[in-house]
Amino acid sequence: MAFKPKNKDSLANVLTVSVLLCLVCSAVVSVAAVSLRDLQNENEKLAKQRNRLIAAGLIEVDASNEEVERVYSERIREQWINLADGEPTVAPEPGTKAFDFEAAADDEDYSEPIAPKYGVPGRRPNVAPVYQVLSEDGQTVERVVLPVSGKGLWSTLRAYLALEVNFDEDVPRDRFPIAGVTFYEQAETAGLGAEVENPIWQEDWQGQFAFDEEWSPQFEVAKVPAPEGSEAAAYQVDALAGATITGNGVEAMVNYWLSEDAFGAYLRKVTPEFLEINRVSPAAAEEMLEEEAERTAS
């Protein structure tokens, strides 16, 4: 009887090869994902640091990674605050959900709903970081950079808003004018709402007022700009063509995060004495965390 070779194209062989190929590919992808996770996290951290520095006007867009790391370590001091009262608090433990400004907002255990009157859907974290921009000698705070988020037409908008800190001005309008802004996450329509990332449009924010004389946020993305040189024009940036809903979302976002229910409570307290008294060294922060853990355990 003649030998009959096996059919290599049989259904069983095809399925066996397919399953083995899928297992090998899955293993390769899993190994790559795990091995690259630290690098991805570091790149994400560096990208956010870059955007904070750009908003603060400390670097150019094309600055090298080395320059970003150097300037950030020299000029930025991070401080966590309780958004309910604007008081400084100990930073959450790194790596936890509470430490992640974006993840905390999506978790009811670490956030509060935003009041509907602000027109910003969603929630805000209970605690949030403020990035203080130090003078070159490290003795004074020149600006503060605030993480903000809102809703556009299709996506969540995430940005860093920088405010000047003019301690010699008593009127809120003049004490905290806008120093800059960068949008680091959005998925709006290309050529329309996505123009929030356009550096030319972002430059128009610089020097505009955010607060009136009574601490009320008055920022406006204006479809019909007020006459140049008028009081109203000082609070406006031009609307993006064909992106009305995105512009409305940006306007609501800024006015909410500067309100008393968000960073406004903190900004009202900002004085040289307040900043100095509430400066927390890493060692002191670690000690406070340990004390808090002991109190919780008992």
Side-chain angles (χ1 to χ4, degrees), residues 37-74:
R37 183 176 300 155
D38 289 344
L39 180 60
Q40 291 171 337
N41 291 340
E42 188 62 28
N43 286 339
E44 181 180 356
K45 176 182 175 182
L46 190 63
K48 289 183 177 179
Q49 290 179 344
R50 177 184 297 275
N51 277 287
R52 293 167 198 152
L53 293 176
I54 293 172
L58 294 179
I59 62 169
E60 299 295 330
V61 176
D62 58 355
S64 66
N65 290 343
E66 291 75 15
E67 184 179 2
V68 170
E69 292 177 335
R70 177 185 62 80
V71 175
Y72 198 88
S73 65
E74 293 175 355

Side-chain angles (χ1 to χ4, degrees), residues 58-104:
L58 294 179
I59 62 169
E60 299 295 330
V61 176
D62 58 355
S64 66
N65 290 343
E66 291 75 15
E67 184 179 2
V68 170
E69 292 177 335
R70 177 185 62 80
V71 175
Y72 198 88
S73 65
E74 293 175 355
R75 302 290 300 277
I76 300 296
R77 184 173 70 196
E78 181 179 304
Q79 185 174 62
W80 284 76
I81 63 167
N82 187 328
L83 289 178
D85 57 14
E87 288 291 329
T89 187
V90 178
E93 184 177 350
T96 63
K97 185 173 290 187
F99 188 81
D100 187 327
F101 180 80
E102 298 163 11

